[in-house]
Amino acid sequence: VIGRNGIIYIGSWDQNIHAISADGNSIWRSPTLDHLVGTPAIGPNGNIYVGSYDFGIYGFDAAGKKLWVFPTLSYVMSSPIVGRNGTVYCGSDDGSLYAINPENGEHIWTFVTGGRVRSSPSISHTGNIYIASFDGNIYSIEEETGQMVWSASIEPTEYESPIVGMLGAIQS
């Protein structure tokens, strides 16, 4: 993901998140306990969020200092997103979508599906979060409460992430 001033943030199999300048120079790298698969997300305050194979979702400040680690019950291959109110949302192989306070890494709510969540969530302008699960469903979840709005059966999926079109149509 590309942040302010063109800084590129990327997770790696070397168990680090890296900040790289637009001209390719390393600015910093910060360790996690296992490799990183998903794309990091950047919050409005410049903090960076990323999931890891070590069963955690991490929050880092813009200088690479680890702020917190939110524990999950399995691998995190999903890429986090940051909601309209700054909340961090991320899926896990434990079958859950988590809502996390971006300031302190504390749990806000959990939505549990019937299968792994490797897709990355999407959010609409109306405040609904969309996530696909290995249980063969796509879910619409209310951003503030974590309550299911609806679910729809889709082909069993592993990594496909839903996107929200300009007119609000959901695609996977």
Side-chain angles (χ1 to χ4, degrees):
V1 66
I2 301 173
R4 296 183 183 125
N5 301 323
I7 296 173
I8 301 158
Y9 301 97
I10 186 166
S12 175
W13 280 77
D14 73 357
Q15 301 180 10
N16 288 283
I17 182 168
H18 297 263
I20 302 168
S21 69
D23 60 4
N25 292 313
S26 177
I27 299 171
W28 56 257
R29 69 178 181 178
S30 291
T32 63
L33 298 177
D34 209 334
H35 59 276
L36 308 172
V37 177
T39 302
I42 302 173
N45 58 3
N47 289 348
I48 301 104
Y49 309 101
V50 67
S52 174
Y53 255 50
D54 65 12
F55 297 23
I57 301 165
Y58 286 75
F60 295 92
D61 71 12
K65 177 185 173 194
K66 181 172 60 174
L67 301 173
W68 48 260
V69 181
F70 179 86
T72 67
L73 301 175
S74 191
Y75 305 117
V76 179
M77 298 177 72
S78 174
S79 298
I81 61 168
V82 177
R84 299 176 302 167
N85 61 3
T87 300
V88 177
Y89 302 98
C90 193
S92 171
D93 264 25
D94 63 17
S96 299
L97 175 70
Y98 294 100
I100 306 164
N101 182 311
E103 299 303 318
N104 55 23
E106 291 183 1
H107 178 259
I108 298 173
W109 54 254
T110 301
F111 178 81
V112 179
T113 74
R116 294 180 291 216
V117 177
R118 290 187 176 172
S119 77
S120 299
S122 295
I123 192 165
S124 72
H125 69 282
T126 61
N128 286 353
I129 299 170
Y130 303 96
I131 195 84
S133 172
F134 269 55
D135 67 5
N137 291 297
I138 185 170
Y139 294 92
S140 175
I141 304 155
E142 207 283 321
E143 178 181 13
E144 294 299 320
T145 66
Q147 297 298 309
M148 183 174 69
V149 177
W150 54 259
S151 68
S153 179
I154 58 173
E155 292 282 326
T157 181
E158 290 190 19
Y159 303 101
E160 291 80 6
S161 298
I163 59 171
V164 181
M166 291 181 61
L167 300 177
I170 311 305
Q171 302 171 339
S172 181

